[in-house]
Amino acid sequence: MTAIDGLLKSIPLLSLLTPPQLEAVAAVCQRCAFAPGEPIVLAGTRADAAYYLMDGNVDCMTWGPDCEQIATPIPAGAVLLEMAMIVDIDVNANCVARAAAKVLKLPRAAMHDVMQNDPALTDKMIEALTLRLRDMAEAMREASQPFEELQRSA
């Protein structure tokens, strides 16, 4: 397994892929470099890829309830727009390199080609997504329990 394969394995949607499947994904990734202040993605655009932040730091800028700009720092090792590698989504924040940043871009069109060529890879990605949804549903159930208990006691 190469270093890039190891990075890809840390992306939740790709976590169940086999080493040969990770190699197929790695073959379509693009290495990108961003200078400080350079945008990686802009709010109001359509995302055409996911981005794995290999090195550097990124600020994702959103607007708060009082129209104030809020910067959320994103550290190396994080993934931006993970679902954009498989589906069309809108970008809702400006993500800008705070310092020089090295990014691994996973373009959706290339990922679709990989998925069409290996249905088992697609199945593994669906399985990873299903497990995440199941975990999220369980967390939501647990979070709602105190409210349900409060309603019953009222």
Side-chain angles (χ1 to χ4, degrees), residues 44-112:
T45 62
R46 302 292 278 180
D48 65 350
Y51 299 85
Y52 179 91
L53 183 56
M54 296 188 318
D55 188 39
N57 292 298
V58 170
D59 284 328
C60 287
M61 313 298 280
T62 57
W63 296 99
D66 296 323
C67 294
E68 74 279 13
Q69 195 169 32
I70 300 169
T72 302
I74 308 296
V79 182
L80 301 173
L81 303 165
E82 180 185 11
M83 292 303 296
M85 77 174 87
I86 57 172
V87 295
D88 193 25
I89 61 172
D90 292 325
V91 178
N92 62 4
N94 291 326
C95 296
V96 177
R98 184 176 344 134
K102 293 180 183 172
V103 173
L104 195 60
K105 182 178 179 180
L106 293 86
R108 182 174 48 258
M111 284 298 299
H112 283 182

Side-chain angles (χ1 to χ4, degrees), residues 108-138:
R108 182 174 48 258
M111 284 298 299
H112 283 182
D113 289 343
V114 170
M115 293 167 69
Q116 284 182 331
N117 290 329
D118 185 353
L121 178 145
T122 304
D123 291 343
K124 293 277 190 186
M125 291 176 71
I126 291 169
E127 181 182 354
L129 187 55
T130 302
L131 291 171
R132 285 173 63 188
L133 289 172
R134 190 175 298 143
D135 290 346
M136 187 181 301
E138 179 60 29

Side-chain angles (χ1 to χ4, degrees), residues 3-72:
I4 296 296
D5 296 351
L7 295 176
L8 294 173
K9 186 94 174 157
S10 72
I11 297 173
L13 197 54
L14 306 177
S15 65
L16 301 179
L17 299 186
T18 65
Q21 291 169 334
L22 289 167
E23 289 173 18
V25 173
V28 301
C29 289
Q30 302 167 2
R31 290 178 186 242
C32 304
F34 295 89
E38 188 176 1
I40 297 170
V41 294
L42 294 172
T45 62
R46 302 292 278 180
D48 65 350
Y51 299 85
Y52 179 91
L53 183 56
M54 296 188 318
D55 188 39
N57 292 298
V58 170
D59 284 328
C60 287
M61 313 298 280
T62 57
W63 296 99
D66 296 323
C67 294
E68 74 279 13
Q69 195 169 32
I70 300 169
T72 302

